[in-house]
Amino acid sequence: MFTHLVGDKAGDLNDLLTHGGFRRSQSIAYRPACDQCRACVSVRVVANEFRSSRNFRKILARNADIVGEQRSAVPTPSNIRYSGPISTSAIATAAWPT
């Protein structure tokens, strides 16, 4: 089961669904279908309380050549395909080309 998080109340809806066991990938909230699987782990980081560890800083230094860019959170077939367990059902339900 999944839903597209859009509109003025998307943040509130995401909070409600997250507390109900849903996960989020970009602007899609979904409930994992696998009862025994724990591959989908919800993680929230309070940004202003984050402190990088020594290991984290080493990883950042090792990957300093990687360049990122900010884009709007709009799901597309290509980024849904690589989002993990919901991929197949999300693409099929949304009738996106594979």
Side-chain angles (χ1 to χ4, degrees):
M1 172 188 317
F2 72 97
T3 186
H4 198 180
L5 298 168
V6 294
D8 296 340
K9 302 286 184 185
D12 294 334
L13 179 59
N14 180 49
D15 286 341
L16 180 68
L17 292 174
T18 299
H19 291 290
F22 280 69
R23 306 290 189 255
R24 184 182 61 83
S25 178
Q26 298 181 26
S27 62
I28 295 176
Y30 65 96
R31 177 171 223 134
C34 323
D35 289 334
Q36 301 305 318
C37 177
R38 297 293 173 243
C40 303
V41 178
S42 182
V43 176
R44 287 191 175 207
V45 176
V46 181
N48 60 354
E49 294 178 14
F50 176 77
R51 301 293 178 261
S52 61
S53 65
R54 181 174 177 247
N55 189 47
F56 185 81
R57 291 188 298 273
K58 285 169 61 176
I59 292 169
L60 280 178
R62 223 178 282 142
N63 293 292
D65 61 321
I66 296 176
V67 178
E69 63 183 66
Q70 186 171 344
R71 295 186 178 191
S72 57
V74 177
T76 65
S78 62
N79 56 22
I80 289 294
R81 189 174 298 114
Y82 300 107
S83 295
I86 71 158
S87 302
T88 306
S89 63
I91 291 170
T93 304
W96 285 329
T98 55

